[in-house]
Each structure stands twice: as C-alpha cells, then as structure tokens.
Amino acid sequence: MSAVDESTDLFRQEAAELVAALERGLLDLEQTPQSAELINAIFRDMHTVKGSGAMFGFTDLARFVHDFETAFDRLRQGEVQATPALIAVALRACDQITALIADPVSARAASDGLLAELAAALGQNPAAAEPVVEGLHLRFYLPVDCMRLGCNPVLLLEELRALDQGAGEVPVRALVDRVPSLPQLDPQDCWMGWEVTLRGAVSEAAVGEVFLFLRDDMELIITPLAPQKDAQAPDAAVTRQPDPAEDPEASVAASGTAAAGNTIRVPTERLDELMDRVGELVIAEARLSSLAYSRRDPALLAVAEDIQRLAAGMRDTTMSIRMVPIGSIFGRFRRLMRDLSETLGKPVNFVTTGAETELDKTVIEMLADPLVHILRNSIDHGLETTEARRTAGKPEAGTIELSATYSGAEVLISVRDDGRGLNAERIRARAIEGGLIAADAQLPESDLLRLIFEPGFSTAKTVTELSGRGVGMDVVKRTISGLRGQIELSSEPGHGTTVTLRLPLTLAIIDGLLIEVGGEHYSLPLAAIEECVELPEQHAVAGSSASLLNIRGAMVPFVRLRDLFETPGAAPEFQKVVIVSSGGARVGLVVDRIVSNSQTVIKQLSQLHAHLKCFSGATILGDGSVALILDVSQLVDYGRAREERARHAGSVFGRPERAVA
C-alpha cells in the first residue's frame, strides 16, 4: 500500500470517529438545545471533518460540511434555535458525510437536497444572493500550523488576485510584525500576515470560498473600500493563536506543548501480533521458571524471577493497550433507538450507564451485532404501544437501559426494559409448534425462557422489517458463546425483561487454575471458580450416593470429570471438588488434584476439534505439555441437565452418566 493510500485510510478512520462524535453531540443537543458547550463541540467536529476532507482531496465532502458548519455558526451566535427539524436534518447529514467519504461520485447528488432541507429548517431562502461590493481591503493571518497541514499561502494569494476580475494590479503587502526571533523560528510555522486590496466587484462570500478550509482558525478582517455601513469597522475577526508580538516565546512553547501530547495510530493487526508475542513470552517464562526450580540454581532462579516480573509487566501493559471503553459502541445505539422509536411510534427513554467500562477490543468489535438484536427486540417485542402503556398505568414513554459494570474478571452488560415481559405460555406454545420440545415436556421457567435463543424461534405473529424470522437471538447466543461468555435472562410479566451478557475482560491471556484428572492436566478460568472443597467420604465411590453436595445449606450438583472423560484407572483416595458458576447456576467438578494457579495463554482449537463442546481452547504449560481449557458454561449446563433428569425421575440417586464432550 502506498503512503497516499495509508494516509487516506487514516483519514477515513478519523472521519468515522468524528461522525460518531457528531451523532452523539446532536442527540445530546436534542435533549438540551440551549447548551452552548454542545453547540461548540459539534461545530469543532464539523470543522475538523471539513478541514481534513479538504486536505485529503474530498472536496465535495468539504463543501457540503461547510454549509452545515455555517448553520451551526448561526446557532453559536444565537440567531437560530436547535429545533427537532434541524437535528433531524443534521443527523441525515452525518449519513451523507459517511456516503461522501465512501463514494464521493455516487453520493454527490444527494447533497443538494439535504442543503435545501437545511435551509428550510433554518427558515432561509436558499436562492438569496450575496451582495457584491466595489472593492475590499483584506488583512489576514493564517493559522500558524497551516503549512504543516498542506496549505500553500502563495496559491491563496493567487486565488485572491483572480477574484479582481481584471481591475488591474492587486496590491499585496507582507506583514512581518508577528514573526518571532530567529532562535525561536520554526520554518514549518506560518507567522506572516498579508494585506490585499481588491478593487473590482467582489463579494465577501467569494473571499470566504478562498479561505474555505482555514476561515475559522485564522484572523481575517474585511473592510469595504467604498463607504458602506461603517467602513472603519471590521466585519469579521476570528482569532485562534496568541499574538507572538506580545509574547512569541509563549506561543512557541504552547505549540510545542500541544505537539508533545500527540498520540499515534497503530493498525490492529500489529496489536494482535504483539499480543501473540507476549503470549509466547508468557509460555517461555513459565518454562524457564519450571527449569529454574528443577535445577535449584540460585543464579538461574534470580534470572527467572526477573524475567517473570518483566513478562508480567509487559503482559499487563499490552493488555491495557487492547482495552477499549465500551462507550465507543454505546453512542451508535442512541441513533438506532431514536430511529426505531420514530419507525414504531413508541416513545423511548434510552439510558446508558457504565460507558467507561473497558473490554478487550476484539470483544468490543464482536458485541455490536448482538446488542443491536437485543435492543431491537426490547423496543419491538418488549415495550407496549402508547395506548397499552397508558391502560396499564405506565408512563407513555418506555425506558430501555443499557449498562455495563465490572464483576471480578468479567464485565456484565445488561439491557433492561420496563415493558410487558416475556410470556412463558406463549413461548411454550411456539416451542411445541416448532418441534423444539415435546407437548408433555415439563421445563422450569428459566429453561423455558431460554428457548428464545434457539435457531428459528420467534413469537412474532407477523414478519416485519424488525422481527419475526427467528434469527436475531440465535445470532446473539452464537456470538456470546464464541466470546466465552454467558447469557442470563430474567423477566417479570408486566414489568419488563433483563438480558445480561457475562463476558471475559480479554480473550488472550487469563488467570487459570490447573487441575489434574487421571494424570492429565486441565485449566479452569479462575474468574468462574467460587471455591474448592474436599469431596466428602460418602461420595468418594462413584454411584454410591447422591449426586448433590451440601455447600453451607445449598444443594449443588456435581460432575465427576473422571466419568465425563471416561478416564481409566482408580480415583485417588482424597479427591477435590471445584465449585464453578455460570449464568447464576453452580456445579461442582470432582478432580483428582489441584495443581496451581497459572497464567493461561489461550490457543484456539482446530476445526477438527470444534465438536468438543466441553473445551474452549488449550494452553501450553511450563514443561511444554498441552492442557485443555474447560468450558465452564457447558459443564454447568451438563450438571444442571443431570440434576433435572434426576429430579424428574423422582430421585436424586443413581449411577452417574458417562458422556464424552
């Protein structure tokens, strides 16, 4: 890829972030239309999009944004108000900006229509002509960093000369009063100013077109030559930089300070590669530590401890680089909910909390689609119509809350609505109709509600653009399972539904508990472990007693991993039980021995092993051997299923089942 292509791609990435910021600002402004801070922030984002677009050759984009920027300048001046109509047009303008970046030629035709809508929203006549003046005197100072951004002052002066339309020679005088002393002068900074006299018929709008991409960051004084209004008073003056004639050292220092805080963009592929290298380093460090402890060499042990400390620091730093605030995707959902509210005619108060909660960037990227499906279902299926809410004594506007919070080494993301809740009987009827369960099946309500995540399941009576095909929640389940997460579902008829996603902070390196079963090592995610206890003597022999443990008054089903994995040989005399939890349920895993805690570098299983549902990956131990990582959610589901079968059989006794994942 050429340098030009890389720069253009960089612009597209930055523009996407700016458009997202614009949408957030516009949606906030709709709620607080008098906020000067929001108006200024929107104006700055528009100006940045315009200037960057011009720099990278997106001229149509720059001119389109310029007109919207002008409208928000009127908002800044208090000449117009931020009406819902103006916000609606501005939101569609955000879509047009994205289209002009993706395909400027195809999107160009839609710009004029939006500009006409903008004029109507502002109460303007788009055909109004700018007055022409016989002669203008210009005095201007360009932004100090204009040449760094690709501006050529000589070309600007040539454009001004071309405006004079043959009225003779155009006088130009350089202004050097702001140029700092030589030791402080940076040749890339533009400290000069100019005075230009245009004697022909010219409009101020034409002058503004010359400075289209610099106008709001420069000082420009326009004075008509012929006495009109008050010829001595400048019509406009915009100042961004301090006057270096008063304190040039302060200006140079300020410029240097701003530059010092710059950040750089790194392609995600490089971050992924760095994470892979750190993972290999963690494995090598574990092998070195194992070797050092086996040799008992003090010098080697000291080196191993240093490497362990450095590897841990590099691991934590690299993982922190990959962490992204979940608020980066929260913003796009506000626009989604606004549009769905208008489409369905259901007023909605959309509330977000915990936007600062951080997750691994890979998790963030894969969360967007599942959350879209959940939110669409919440407003389409969950919330009642305005009339139904009024009849039920609820506020006419429904509430949907999207929240994120930390829970140990996991993040909980919840979508809660105050709608009608899930109808268990209707779900059961549709499940029987679709052949998902038998007509005489007796399922607990929690399992019944979870049927909405089955492929093809839908309770919608008709197929619409939003729902009815039964594919949305299936996508949610598959994606969350692929992220090693769990879904929790709770509902109260008449009061609403809550869907909670439990997700790991990272998919690369986790803290694990190393266990042994039949001489083989396995790893359990430490975040899923509640406690470890001794297996009571009466449960030591398989099939000899109940399959439930009494853990401080709570009955917890347990699974013997020896039976599950069909491990040959006799079990040791003293076995351990590791209590794990998932989705609010608990199960005990009977193991031969607990080995140690360790940093677990997750390696994905190959396609040949994709059918092994009880394993989520593998890791390499310090001695070079491989340990499979157990999938806690699958094991918990298996334990719960055993418990339900035992209960429906009328007894919790019987021989443990053997099952291969």
Side-chain angles (χ1 to χ4, degrees), residues 9 46 68 91 94 135 194 254 279 299 318 324 326 369 409 444 482 570 574 619:
D9 286 343
M46 285 185 173
F68 274 87
L91 286 171
C94 290
W194 287 270
T318 304
V324 179
I326 198 170
D369 285 346
F574 300 103
T619 187

Side-chain angles (χ1 to χ4, degrees), residues 76-89:
R76 287 201 306 173
Q77 303 299 329
E79 299 175 10
V80 295
Q81 298 297 317
T83 62
L86 178 59
I87 297 297
V89 176

Side-chain angles (χ1 to χ4, degrees), residues 393-413:
K394 295 182 178 181
E396 293 187 2
T399 298
I400 295 179
E401 181 179 357
L402 174 60
S403 63
T405 183
Y406 292 109
S407 177
E410 294 180 316
V411 168
L412 306 185
I413 301 174

Side-chain angles (χ1 to χ4, degrees), residues 308-556:
Q308 184 178 26
R309 174 177 52 81
L310 294 172
M314 181 171 289
R315 178 199 66 224
D316 294 341
T317 301
T318 304
M319 291 179 64
S320 69
I321 293 174
R322 291 170 57 95
M323 303 302 279
V324 179
I326 198 170
S328 60
I329 62 171
F330 275 14
R332 71 183 71 172
F333 299 138
R334 296 180 61 196
R335 174 75 183 277
L336 170 72
M337 299 306 289
R338 181 186 188 277
D339 293 345
L340 288 178
S341 175
E342 291 184 354
T343 301
L344 297 172
K346 295 181 178 179
V348 177
N349 294 322
F350 183 54
V351 182
T352 61
T353 58
E356 68 284 354
T357 306
E358 292 186 334
L359 268 171
D360 187 284
K361 69 170 189 66
T362 304
V363 179
I364 292 284
E365 291 167 358
M366 297 181 67
L367 265 182
D369 285 346
L371 286 176
V372 165
H373 287 301
I374 295 173
L375 289 169
R376 285 161 67 110
N377 273 4
S378 293
I379 189 172
D380 190 21
H381 294 294
L383 296 185
E384 309 94 333
T385 62
T386 303
E387 294 76 11
R389 291 183 65 85
R390 190 183 303 117
T391 302
K394 295 182 178 181
E396 293 187 2
T399 298
I400 295 179
E401 181 179 357
L402 174 60
S403 63
T405 183
Y406 292 109
S407 177
E410 294 180 316
V411 168
L412 306 185
I413 301 174
S414 299
V415 177
R416 184 189 64 82
D417 67 68
D418 66 346
R420 60 173 65 90
L422 294 175
N423 188 323
E425 289 304 317
R426 187 174 178 186
I427 292 174
R428 177 182 174 82
R430 293 303 293 264
I432 294 173
E433 180 184 336
L436 296 176
I437 60 173
D440 59 349
Q442 300 296 321
L443 295 180
E445 184 172 313
S446 59
D447 290 347
L448 192 63
L449 295 182
R450 293 180 68 85
L451 290 175
I452 68 173
F453 295 106
E454 293 299 316
F457 186 88
S458 175
T459 57
K461 296 180 180 179
T462 59
V463 175
T464 68
E465 293 181 0
L466 298 180
S467 61
R469 301 188 184 275
V471 295
M473 300 308 283
D474 177 34
V475 171
V476 173
K477 181 180 179 181
R478 289 203 312 269
T479 304
I480 300 305
S481 296
L483 293 171
R484 301 200 323 275
Q486 295 92 39
I487 303 176
E488 299 175 3
L489 184 64
S490 63
S491 181
E492 184 178 355
H495 295 280
T497 302
T498 300
V499 179
T500 301
L501 310 180
R502 284 184 171 270
L503 296 163
L505 285 173
T506 179
L507 299 178
I509 301 175
I510 62 172
D511 289 319
L513 180 69
L514 199 62
I515 61 174
E516 183 181 316
V517 178
E520 296 290 338
H521 286 155
Y522 302 90
S523 180
L524 280 166
L526 205 58
I529 298 174
E530 291 191 353
E531 58 183 312
C532 299
V533 298
E534 291 278 353
L535 180 66
E537 184 178 353
Q538 65 267 29
H539 297 297
V541 180
S544 63
S545 57
S547 58
L548 294 174
L549 290 176
N550 188 335
I551 305 295
R552 289 183 296 279
M555 304 307 292
V556 178

